[in-house]
């Protein structure tokens, strides 16, 4: 059986976005399998007593500059979302719901949401804006609203988040390879080594 990288992520994290721009290719190059694990970062923060780095002004300023360096290194767009922080509960329920009900559409959804959050940033916390982004990506906004309202979908996101916390996750992105945990998009070199 090939090795597996479990990617615990939340669309509200710009560093998760940076990891997303690299991780699928990195995992494919090692012949491993990428297992997507949507979680609610706010729930992780609450359970672990952690908080977003931007709550410390000096750290937030440094982090935005550092993320811009990584984006240049990766050759990917990164624009800080002027609406940050955005409540991602609906977006993360959408990720879990599509994994459960329409897995063939999941990666297209992830790409559409990440680009709308961090490449050409719009307010994905606004239901009308979200509907427009989803429609452009080929999703039916009304069907999406129904999906994220399903009790089973809501419970699955809670379960993913609880599992993440139980396994030691305190932020996003977090990648597991077997029993090894790697936190931060700047640890992808070590993820590659663990998968090799």
């Amino acid at each position: 059986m090939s090795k597996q990288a479990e990617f615990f992520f939340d669309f509200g994290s710009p560093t998760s976005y940076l990891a997303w721009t690299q991780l699928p290719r990195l995992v494919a190059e090692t012949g491993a399998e990428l297992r997507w694990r949507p979680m609610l970062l706010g729930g992780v923060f609450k359970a672990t007593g952690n908080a977003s780095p931007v709550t410390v002004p000096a750290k937030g300023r440094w982090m935005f500059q550092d993320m811009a360096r990584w984006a240049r290194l990766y050759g990917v767009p990164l624009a800080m979302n002027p609406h940050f922080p955005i409540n991602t509960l609906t977006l993360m329920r959408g990720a879990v719901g599509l994994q459960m009900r329409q897995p063939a559409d999941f990666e297209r959804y992830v790409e559409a949401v990440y680009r709308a959050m961090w490449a050409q940033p719009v307010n994905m916390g606004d239901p009308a804006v979200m509907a427009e982004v989803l429609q452009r990506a080929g999703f039916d906004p009304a069907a999406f609203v129904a999906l994220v309202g399903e009790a089973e979908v809501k419970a699955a996101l809670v379960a993913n988040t609880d599992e993440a916390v139980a396994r030691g996750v305190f932020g996003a992105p977090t990648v597991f390879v077997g029993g090894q945990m790697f936190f931060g998009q700047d640890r992808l070199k070590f993820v590659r080594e663990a998968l090799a």
Side-chain angles (χ1 to χ4, degrees):
M1 188 173 112
S2 68
K3 286 191 176 178
Q4 188 180 81
E6 293 181 83
F7 179 41
F8 283 89
F9 70 98
D10 184 308
F11 294 122
S13 160
T15 51
S16 286
Y17 158 76
L18 288 172
W20 165 77
T21 68
Q22 306 302 304
L23 195 58
R25 186 188 74 244
L26 181 158
V27 172
E29 287 171 357
T30 63
E33 177 193 348
L34 179 56
R35 186 171 173 214
W36 301 86
R37 304 301 309 274
M39 65 177 185
L40 190 63
L41 187 54
V44 170
F45 283 167
K46 187 175 179 183
T48 61
N50 197 5
S52 170
V54 299
T55 61
V56 180
K59 188 173 186 179
R61 284 190 300 273
W62 169 85
M63 194 166 174
F64 290 144
Q65 294 169 0
D66 195 58
M67 286 186 295
R69 291 184 194 106
W70 282 100
R72 282 194 303 274
L73 179 70
Y74 294 154
V76 299
L78 174 68
M80 289 316 299
N81 195 310
H83 307 284
F84 179 84
I86 291 172
N87 183 332
T88 58
L89 178 61
T90 300
L91 297 170
M92 299 316 299
R93 283 177 177 166
V96 170
L98 285 166
Q99 274 187 319
M100 294 167 66
R101 308 282 189 249
Q102 297 166 241
D105 297 325
F106 172 77
E107 290 188 38
R108 178 165 51 95
Y109 171 77
V110 170
E111 179 171 3
V113 174
Y114 264 136
R115 295 208 181 284
M117 288 288 290
W118 302 111
Q120 298 163 331
V122 295
N123 185 1
M124 290 295 280
D126 179 328
V129 173
M130 186 191 313
E132 186 183 329
V133 168
L134 293 176
Q135 195 157 27
R136 269 202 316 268
F139 293 95
D140 175 356
F144 179 82
V145 169
L147 176 70
V148 299
E150 290 183 24
E152 195 177 354
V153 168
K154 293 177 180 180
L157 180 60
V158 171
N160 276 7
T161 304
D162 288 348
E163 181 191 336
V165 171
R167 291 173 67 182
V169 172
F170 53 84
T174 299
V175 179
F176 285 92
V177 178
Q180 295 183 79
M181 182 177 109
F182 303 92
F183 168 69
Q185 66 83 26
D186 54 350
R187 297 300 187 264
L188 296 181
K189 179 181 188 294
F190 301 122
V191 171
R192 181 188 288 275
E193 287 175 359
L195 291 171

